[in-house]
Amino acid sequence: MQSSQNRVLVVAAHPDDEVLGCGGTIARLSDAGAAVTVMFFADGVGARSAGGEIRQPELTERRKAAQTACRILGAEDPLFFDFPDNRLDTVPLIEVTQTLEKVIDEFRPDSIYTHHAGDVNADHRIAHQAVVTACRPQPGRDVKKIYFFEVASSTEWQTPGSAPSFQPTSFVDISETLPRKIEALKAYAMEMRPWPHARSIEANEHLARWRGATAGFKAAEAFMLGRELI
């Protein structure tokens, strides 16, 4: 088993958020020898049917896409949980947090990547709060770094003053891994939209190029550093 310093947990609300938010970083970390685990609170498809009933073919397709994306990026097989899609705010936060705490206790990650607090999507905000709650800085905790990522078609859709704005403090050079991020996004073809939608392949490549340009890289992913314990 690798040391805790090389163990990374990506906490995502739905399958595809992990690639949109930090796919290039996942690939870079895995290439460097880190063990990267991705977990999803909700399936991402339940909210599309009346009453939230899960359509098995759509669920199967979405999970296969997540597994394919993780293989492309070099992450381990993802973990799926069955919280109600786009209804995480109907579940007591303690239940969501305790689920996450069990994963943290098992995998003992050194770093966690998750959603930004100000996203339009409510599930994203709950995932963020669960991470902050589960990772309270107490003696004996393994998590030393927490990063918040942006998700195109949620983070930038928030209006000024409605929630905290995404103001990146960390940039990861993904010049070499951007092609794998794009390939992983294509695994989620059912979720991608045609340009100029924010959740299009082109928009996400443009975002990576712009984030790179602001940091002197050919391409980058941007994060807000939530906490770093040294």
PDB file of all heavy atoms in Angstrom, residues 171-188:
ATOM      1  N   PHE A 171      -3.089  26.474  -9.272  1.00  0.00           N
ATOM      2  CA  PHE A 171      -3.224  26.080 -10.672  1.00  0.00           C
ATOM      3  C   PHE A 171      -2.337  24.865 -10.937  1.00  0.00           C
ATOM      4  O   PHE A 171      -1.158  24.867 -10.582  1.00  0.00           O
ATOM      5  CB  PHE A 171      -2.808  27.228 -11.597  1.00  0.00           C
ATOM      6  CG  PHE A 171      -3.673  28.460 -11.468  1.00  0.00           C
ATOM      7  CD1 PHE A 171      -3.451  29.368 -10.440  1.00  0.00           C
ATOM      8  CD2 PHE A 171      -4.709  28.691 -12.347  1.00  0.00           C
ATOM      9  CE1 PHE A 171      -4.242  30.503 -10.299  1.00  0.00           C
ATOM     10  CE2 PHE A 171      -5.512  29.818 -12.215  1.00  0.00           C
ATOM     11  CZ  PHE A 171      -5.283  30.726 -11.200  1.00  0.00           C
ATOM     12  N   VAL A 172      -2.915  23.850 -11.543  1.00  0.00           N
ATOM     13  CA  VAL A 172      -2.172  22.637 -11.854  1.00  0.00           C
ATOM     14  C   VAL A 172      -1.950  22.569 -13.359  1.00  0.00           C
ATOM     15  O   VAL A 172      -2.914  22.636 -14.146  1.00  0.00           O
ATOM     16  CB  VAL A 172      -2.925  21.381 -11.379  1.00  0.00           C
ATOM     17  CG1 VAL A 172      -2.180  20.112 -11.802  1.00  0.00           C
ATOM     18  CG2 VAL A 172      -3.092  21.408  -9.863  1.00  0.00           C
ATOM     19  N   ASP A 173      -0.706  22.432 -13.762  1.00  0.00           N
ATOM     20  CA  ASP A 173      -0.351  22.341 -15.173  1.00  0.00           C
ATOM     21  C   ASP A 173      -0.847  21.005 -15.731  1.00  0.00           C
ATOM     22  O   ASP A 173      -0.388  19.944 -15.323  1.00  0.00           O
ATOM     23  CB  ASP A 173       1.170  22.445 -15.313  1.00  0.00           C
ATOM     24  CG  ASP A 173       1.644  22.462 -16.758  1.00  0.00           C
ATOM     25  OD1 ASP A 173       0.812  22.263 -17.668  1.00  0.00           O
ATOM     26  OD2 ASP A 173       2.857  22.657 -16.977  1.00  0.00           O
ATOM     27  N   ILE A 174      -1.804  21.063 -16.647  1.00  0.00           N
ATOM     28  CA  ILE A 174      -2.312  19.830 -17.267  1.00  0.00           C
ATOM     29  C   ILE A 174      -2.026  19.833 -18.767  1.00  0.00           C
ATOM     30  O   ILE A 174      -2.746  19.202 -19.558  1.00  0.00           O
ATOM     31  CB  ILE A 174      -3.815  19.619 -17.003  1.00  0.00           C
ATOM     32  CG1 ILE A 174      -4.649  20.752 -17.615  1.00  0.00           C
ATOM     33  CG2 ILE A 174      -4.086  19.501 -15.510  1.00  0.00           C
ATOM     34  CD1 ILE A 174      -6.146  20.428 -17.673  1.00  0.00           C
ATOM     35  N   SER A 175      -0.946  20.517 -19.151  1.00  0.00           N
ATOM     36  CA  SER A 175      -0.591  20.580 -20.565  1.00  0.00           C
ATOM     37  C   SER A 175      -0.438  19.194 -21.167  1.00  0.00           C
ATOM     38  O   SER A 175      -0.850  18.946 -22.308  1.00  0.00           O
ATOM     39  CB  SER A 175       0.717  21.368 -20.743  1.00  0.00           C
ATOM     40  OG  SER A 175       0.619  22.666 -20.190  1.00  0.00           O
ATOM     41  N   GLU A 176       0.133  18.255 -20.387  1.00  0.00           N
ATOM     42  CA  GLU A 176       0.371  16.898 -20.895  1.00  0.00           C
ATOM     43  C   GLU A 176      -0.839  15.997 -20.742  1.00  0.00           C
ATOM     44  O   GLU A 176      -0.976  15.006 -21.469  1.00  0.00           O
ATOM     45  CB  GLU A 176       1.570  16.280 -20.159  1.00  0.00           C
ATOM     46  CG  GLU A 176       2.878  17.038 -20.335  1.00  0.00           C
ATOM     47  CD  GLU A 176       3.324  17.089 -21.788  1.00  0.00           C
ATOM     48  OE1 GLU A 176       3.135  16.089 -22.498  1.00  0.00           O
ATOM     49  OE2 GLU A 176       3.850  18.147 -22.213  1.00  0.00           O
ATOM     50  N   THR A 177      -1.728  16.312 -19.817  1.00  0.00           N
ATOM     51  CA  THR A 177      -2.854  15.409 -19.540  1.00  0.00           C
ATOM     52  C   THR A 177      -4.193  15.932 -20.045  1.00  0.00           C
ATOM     53  O   THR A 177      -5.206  15.237 -19.922  1.00  0.00           O
ATOM     54  CB  THR A 177      -2.964  15.127 -18.026  1.00  0.00           C
ATOM     55  OG1 THR A 177      -3.132  16.372 -17.316  1.00  0.00           O
ATOM     56  CG2 THR A 177      -1.728  14.421 -17.521  1.00  0.00           C
ATOM     57  N   LEU A 178      -4.215  17.121 -20.632  1.00  0.00           N
ATOM     58  CA  LEU A 178      -5.469  17.640 -21.176  1.00  0.00           C
ATOM     59  C   LEU A 178      -6.095  16.694 -22.204  1.00  0.00           C
ATOM     60  O   LEU A 178      -7.325  16.500 -22.183  1.00  0.00           O
ATOM     61  CB  LEU A 178      -5.255  19.028 -21.777  1.00  0.00           C
ATOM     62  CG  LEU A 178      -6.489  19.670 -22.423  1.00  0.00           C
ATOM     63  CD1 LEU A 178      -7.633  19.805 -21.433  1.00  0.00           C
ATOM     64  CD2 LEU A 178      -6.127  21.040 -23.029  1.00  0.00           C
ATOM     65  N   PRO A 179      -5.312  16.078 -23.094  1.00  0.00           N
ATOM     66  CA  PRO A 179      -5.944  15.139 -24.039  1.00  0.00           C
ATOM     67  C   PRO A 179      -6.684  14.000 -23.342  1.00  0.00           C
ATOM     68  O   PRO A 179      -7.743  13.565 -23.818  1.00  0.00           O
ATOM     69  CB  PRO A 179      -4.751  14.617 -24.857  1.00  0.00           C
ATOM     70  CG  PRO A 179      -3.744  15.724 -24.802  1.00  0.00           C
ATOM     71  CD  PRO A 179      -3.874  16.280 -23.413  1.00  0.00           C
ATOM     72  N   ARG A 180      -6.170  13.524 -22.204  1.00  0.00           N
ATOM     73  CA  ARG A 180      -6.868  12.460 -21.485  1.00  0.00           C
ATOM     74  C   ARG A 180      -8.118  12.991 -20.799  1.00  0.00           C
ATOM     75  O   ARG A 180      -9.120  12.286 -20.676  1.00  0.00           O
ATOM     76  CB  ARG A 180      -5.926  11.795 -20.486  1.00  0.00           C
ATOM     77  CG  ARG A 180      -4.986  10.804 -21.180  1.00  0.00           C
ATOM     78  CD  ARG A 180      -3.781  10.491 -20.357  1.00  0.00           C
ATOM     79  NE  ARG A 180      -4.113   9.800 -19.123  1.00  0.00           N
ATOM     80  CZ  ARG A 180      -3.232   9.664 -18.111  1.00  0.00           C
ATOM     81  NH1 ARG A 180      -2.014  10.174 -18.223  1.00  0.00           N
ATOM     82  NH2 ARG A 180      -3.563   9.014 -17.027  1.00  0.00           N
ATOM     83  N   LYS A 181      -8.084  14.232 -20.348  1.00  0.00           N
ATOM     84  CA  LYS A 181      -9.292  14.837 -19.786  1.00  0.00           C
ATOM     85  C   LYS A 181     -10.379  14.901 -20.856  1.00  0.00           C
ATOM     86  O   LYS A 181     -11.547  14.555 -20.599  1.00  0.00           O
ATOM     87  CB  LYS A 181      -8.998  16.233 -19.245  1.00  0.00           C
ATOM     88  CG  LYS A 181     -10.269  16.993 -18.814  1.00  0.00           C
ATOM     89  CD  LYS A 181      -9.963  18.269 -18.071  1.00  0.00           C
ATOM     90  CE  LYS A 181     -11.268  18.985 -17.684  1.00  0.00           C
ATOM     91  NZ  LYS A 181     -11.130  19.831 -16.510  1.00  0.00           N
ATOM     92  N   ILE A 182     -10.003  15.329 -22.055  1.00  0.00           N
ATOM     93  CA  ILE A 182     -10.966  15.414 -23.155  1.00  0.00           C
ATOM     94  C   ILE A 182     -11.497  14.026 -23.503  1.00  0.00           C
ATOM     95  O   ILE A 182     -12.705  13.844 -23.730  1.00  0.00           O
ATOM     96  CB  ILE A 182     -10.325  16.071 -24.391  1.00  0.00           C
ATOM     97  CG1 ILE A 182      -9.876  17.507 -24.056  1.00  0.00           C
ATOM     98  CG2 ILE A 182     -11.291  16.059 -25.560  1.00  0.00           C
ATOM     99  CD1 ILE A 182     -10.965  18.413 -23.563  1.00  0.00           C
ATOM    100  N   GLU A 183     -10.612  13.035 -23.524  1.00  0.00           N
ATOM    101  CA  GLU A 183     -11.045  11.666 -23.810  1.00  0.00           C
ATOM    102  C   GLU A 183     -12.021  11.173 -22.747  1.00  0.00           C
ATOM    103  O   GLU A 183     -13.019  10.506 -23.057  1.00  0.00           O
ATOM    104  CB  GLU A 183      -9.827  10.742 -23.877  1.00  0.00           C
ATOM    105  CG  GLU A 183     -10.159   9.317 -24.274  1.00  0.00           C
ATOM    106  CD  GLU A 183      -8.944   8.409 -24.315  1.00  0.00           C
ATOM    107  OE1 GLU A 183      -7.820   8.894 -24.078  1.00  0.00           O
ATOM    108  OE2 GLU A 183      -9.125   7.202 -24.572  1.00  0.00           O
ATOM    109  N   ALA A 184     -11.736  11.499 -21.477  1.00  0.00           N
ATOM    110  CA  ALA A 184     -12.632  11.087 -20.396  1.00  0.00           C
ATOM    111  C   ALA A 184     -13.978  11.800 -20.494  1.00  0.00           C
ATOM    112  O   ALA A 184     -15.022  11.213 -20.199  1.00  0.00           O
ATOM    113  CB  ALA A 184     -11.972  11.366 -19.039  1.00  0.00           C
ATOM    114  N   LEU A 185     -13.974  13.060 -20.895  1.00  0.00           N
ATOM    115  CA  LEU A 185     -15.236  13.777 -21.094  1.00  0.00           C
ATOM    116  C   LEU A 185     -16.063  13.120 -22.194  1.00  0.00           C
ATOM    117  O   LEU A 185     -17.291  13.030 -22.109  1.00  0.00           O
ATOM    118  CB  LEU A 185     -14.973  15.242 -21.447  1.00  0.00           C
ATOM    119  CG  LEU A 185     -14.516  16.158 -20.303  1.00  0.00           C
ATOM    120  CD1 LEU A 185     -14.188  17.543 -20.839  1.00  0.00           C
ATOM    121  CD2 LEU A 185     -15.580  16.254 -19.220  1.00  0.00           C
ATOM    122  N   LYS A 186     -15.394  12.631 -23.214  1.00  0.00           N
ATOM    123  CA  LYS A 186     -16.103  11.968 -24.311  1.00  0.00           C
ATOM    124  C   LYS A 186     -16.752  10.666 -23.849  1.00  0.00           C
ATOM    125  O   LYS A 186     -17.736  10.218 -24.452  1.00  0.00           O
ATOM    126  CB  LYS A 186     -15.153  11.715 -25.471  1.00  0.00           C
ATOM    127  CG  LYS A 186     -14.737  12.995 -26.191  1.00  0.00           C
ATOM    128  CD  LYS A 186     -13.761  12.724 -27.329  1.00  0.00           C
ATOM    129  CE  LYS A 186     -13.382  14.019 -28.042  1.00  0.00           C
ATOM    130  NZ  LYS A 186     -12.401  13.808 -29.129  1.00  0.00           N
ATOM    131  N   ALA A 187     -16.205  10.061 -22.782  1.00  0.00           N
ATOM    132  CA  ALA A 187     -16.851   8.871 -22.220  1.00  0.00           C
ATOM    133  C   ALA A 187     -18.232   9.225 -21.687  1.00  0.00           C
ATOM    134  O   ALA A 187     -19.116   8.372 -21.614  1.00  0.00           O
ATOM    135  CB  ALA A 187     -15.987   8.280 -21.107  1.00  0.00           C
ATOM    136  N   TYR A 188     -18.418  10.494 -21.305  1.00  0.00           N
ATOM    137  CA  TYR A 188     -19.713  10.987 -20.829  1.00  0.00           C
ATOM    138  C   TYR A 188     -20.460  11.687 -21.962  1.00  0.00           C
ATOM    139  O   TYR A 188     -21.071  12.746 -21.758  1.00  0.00           O
ATOM    140  CB  TYR A 188     -19.506  11.975 -19.687  1.00  0.00           C
ATOM    141  CG  TYR A 188     -19.086  11.364 -18.378  1.00  0.00           C
ATOM    142  CD1 TYR A 188     -17.806  11.574 -17.863  1.00  0.00           C
ATOM    143  CD2 TYR A 188     -19.976  10.600 -17.622  1.00  0.00           C
ATOM    144  CE1 TYR A 188     -17.426  11.036 -16.636  1.00  0.00           C
ATOM    145  CE2 TYR A 188     -19.612  10.063 -16.401  1.00  0.00           C
ATOM    146  CZ  TYR A 188     -18.329  10.281 -15.910  1.00  0.00           C
ATOM    147  OH  TYR A 188     -17.965   9.752 -14.707  1.00  0.00           O
TER     148      TYR A 188
END
